[in-house]
């Protein structure tokens, strides 16, 4: 075990000295008389390594063998790389050492537990306190393992929750108080948390409730009173009914079909405005999600009153049968806008404004 650990440490230092990624570094223990070409040839037969190139060699007195640093094309993992290479003709096997090669769990458990407790500032008494209801008949080993699992869960919990801590306060008060968001923006973030996070249903409800106050909190309390088992979706639907737009999906779709590009509004900005409106239409059931790309392109062509040339350049009218997605469309339009802006700058530089010839001649005659 100690020897293996020392080899891994040696590999780590060697990779750093050679500027080699640890994930692609391989340490091979071979006899002293083995040539570089032979090493690369033998290791090249192991498919999980990919192409192998020798980066350095050094003789180890304790092992009485060469330590060879190799760079592999593929990233190396303990699951794919064998611990040694068996050679033909009964010759001595070559040991392979990688950074991902961890000692066996039973051999390294106490070391890991000790390091974890040191990092968290815990003692063995803290570990035992995690199991106040443990049966006396339970073995000490089982208790420690269970406590270790509970400690890991508590330690890792903040990292899994951090992605949704930005849900801000919403009260439903008008005008919107300082520090709060418009309801549409708040609701979008709340739906994201409810639909995408890994929290339990109880935790999701708690997080929604704790970010509400005033009239909005009263609505949520009414939902809880009428249905104590209501899921987070019902809370958000009730808030949307109370503070969202009262228009139906059909009304929103009709308004979407009337949208037009405003004066001096870039086509990409108009597209973003269309997308916000279209998302509300789909959410309210005014249009199927599968028809979004077609409806978006059709309204863009209809409402873009100041970008006919760009529409022609992008050949959007010819693409109605296979409309692009919002990301493709936005990328193409922004690229075209950047191109036109660069072309205008170049034209202004190459063809500067010329002075009026008649005025210039008159000034010269007067002089």
């Amino acid at each position: 075990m100690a020897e293996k650990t020392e080899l891994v440490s040696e590999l780590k230092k060697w990779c750093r000295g050679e500027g080699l990624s640890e994930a692609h570094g391989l340490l091979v223990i071979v006899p002293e008389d083995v040539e570089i070409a032979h090493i690369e040839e033998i290791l090249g037969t192991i498919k999980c390594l990919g192409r192998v190139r020798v980066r350095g060699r050094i003789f180890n007195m304790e092992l009485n063998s060469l330590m060879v640093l190799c760079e592999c094309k593929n990233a190396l993992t303990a699951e794919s790389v064998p611990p040694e290479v068996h050679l033909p003709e009964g010759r001595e096997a070559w040991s392979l050492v990688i950074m991902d090669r961890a000692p066996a769990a039973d051999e390294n458990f106490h070391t890991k537990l000790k390091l974890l407790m040191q990092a968290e500032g815990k003692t063995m008494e803290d570990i035992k306190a995690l199991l106040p209801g443990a049966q006396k008949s339970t073995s000490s080993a089982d208790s420690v393992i269970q406590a270790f699992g509970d400690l890991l869960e508590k330690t890792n919990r903040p990292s899994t929750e951090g992605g949704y801590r930005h849900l801000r306060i919403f009260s439903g008060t008008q005008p919107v108080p300082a520090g709060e968001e418009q309801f549409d923006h708040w609701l979008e973030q709340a739906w994201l948390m409810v639909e995408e996070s890994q929290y339990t249903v109880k935790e999701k409800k708690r997080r929604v409730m704790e970010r509400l106050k005033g009239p909005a909190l009263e609505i949520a309390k009414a939902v809880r009173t009428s249905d104590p088992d209501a899921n987070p979706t019902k809370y958000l639907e009730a808030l949307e009914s109370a503070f969202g737009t009262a228009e139906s999906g059909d009304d929103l779709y009709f308004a979407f079909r009337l949208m037009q590009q405003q004066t001096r509004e870039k086509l990409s900005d108009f597209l973003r405005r269309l997308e916000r409106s279209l998302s509300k239409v789909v959410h309210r059931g005014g249009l199927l999600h599968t028809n979004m790309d077609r409806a978006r392109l059709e309204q863009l062509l209809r409402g873009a009153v100041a970008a006919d040339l760009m529409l022609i350049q992008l050949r959007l009218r010819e693409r109605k049968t296979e409309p692009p997605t919002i990301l493709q469309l936005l990328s193409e339009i922004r690229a075209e806008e950047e191109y036109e802006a660069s072309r205008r700058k170049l034209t202004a530089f190459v063809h500067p404004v010329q002075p009026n010839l008649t005025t210039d001649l008159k000034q010269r005659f007067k002089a």
Side-chain angles (χ1 to χ4, degrees), residues 23-48:
H24 296 266
L26 174 68
L27 187 64
V28 189
I29 309 301
V30 302
E32 185 178 1
D33 58 347
V34 178
E35 299 292 335
I36 292 178
H38 185 56
I39 296 173
E40 294 178 346
E41 178 184 357
I42 294 296
L43 297 180
T45 61
I46 305 177
K47 293 184 178 181
C48 64

Side-chain angles (χ1 to χ4, degrees), residues 5-164:
T5 303
E6 292 175 0
L7 291 176
V8 171
S9 176
E10 188 69 27
L11 173 60
K12 184 175 183 178
K13 292 188 292 183
W14 208 347
C15 286
R16 181 173 298 182
E18 293 291 334
L20 177 61
S21 170
E22 293 180 359
H24 296 266
L26 174 68
L27 187 64
V28 189
I29 309 301
V30 302
E32 185 178 1
D33 58 347
V34 178
E35 299 292 335
I36 292 178
H38 185 56
I39 296 173
E40 294 178 346
E41 178 184 357
I42 294 296
L43 297 180
T45 61
I46 305 177
K47 293 184 178 181
C48 64
L49 303 181
R51 183 176 56 85
V52 178
R53 183 165 63 95
V54 173
R55 294 288 297 268
R57 297 183 300 172
I58 187 172
F59 185 77
N60 187 295
M61 298 293 293
E62 296 180 0
L63 299 176
N64 194 31
S65 301
L66 281 178
M67 294 194 307
V68 182
L69 176 65
C70 299
E71 179 181 8
C72 302
K73 181 179 181 181
N74 299 337
L76 309 179
T77 62
E79 292 77 14
S80 59
V81 180
E84 57 185 20
V85 178
H86 295 279
L87 303 180
E89 301 176 359
R91 287 181 290 175
E92 184 180 357
W94 297 352
S95 297
L96 304 181
V97 180
I98 62 173
M99 292 301 302
D100 195 48
R101 184 89 68 201
D106 56 344
E107 297 177 348
N108 204 33
F109 174 77
H110 293 291
T111 302
K112 288 183 178 180
L113 180 59
K114 183 178 179 180
L115 291 176
L116 178 62
M117 289 192 298
Q118 289 177 351
E120 296 296 324
K122 303 293 183 180
T123 65
M124 187 57 69
E125 295 300 322
D126 297 322
I127 298 295
K128 293 179 181 179
L130 291 173
L131 296 172
Q135 299 296 327
K136 293 183 179 180
S137 59
T138 304
S139 67
S140 59
D142 292 340
S143 300
V144 172
I145 291 175
Q146 185 175 349
F148 181 62
D150 293 342
L151 181 60
L152 281 178
E153 182 180 357
K154 291 184 178 182
T155 304
N156 290 333
R157 190 174 299 161
S159 63
T160 59
E161 296 176 354
Y164 298 95

Side-chain angles (χ1 to χ4, degrees), residues 150-218:
D150 293 342
L151 181 60
L152 281 178
E153 182 180 357
K154 291 184 178 182
T155 304
N156 290 333
R157 190 174 299 161
S159 63
T160 59
E161 296 176 354
Y164 298 95
R165 287 180 176 175
H166 56 276
L167 188 62
R168 302 178 71 177
I169 293 292
F170 174 71
S171 65
T173 306
Q174 292 294 336
V176 179
E180 293 188 20
E181 289 184 319
Q182 294 287 344
F183 177 66
D184 288 346
H185 297 163
W186 183 90
L187 186 64
E188 182 179 355
Q189 295 296 326
W191 276 116
L192 181 64
M193 185 270 292
V194 169
E195 295 176 350
E196 301 295 334
S197 72
Q198 301 298 319
Y199 301 135
T200 63
V201 173
K202 183 178 179 180
E203 178 67 12
K204 290 177 181 178
K205 287 197 294 186
R206 184 187 70 80
R207 286 180 172 271
V208 170
M209 292 288 289
E210 71 181 5
R211 308 314 292 171
L212 300 175
K213 68 177 185 179
L217 181 59
E218 295 301 324

Side-chain angles (χ1 to χ4, degrees), residues 264-305:
R264 296 183 180 179
E265 183 181 29
K266 295 195 302 183
L267 189 61
S268 58
D269 293 334
F270 176 50
L271 176 60
R272 294 189 186 95
R273 195 157 55 87
L274 281 178
E275 185 63 19
R276 288 193 294 270
S277 177
L278 184 59
S279 298
K280 294 179 182 178
V281 172
V282 174
H283 182 66
R284 284 280 181 167
L287 183 72
L288 294 177
H289 183 272
T290 54
N291 296 332
M292 286 185 68
D293 291 343
R294 182 184 297 275
R296 182 190 305 112
L297 181 57
E298 289 177 353
Q299 190 55 36
L300 182 70
L301 293 171
R302 180 184 301 177
V305 296

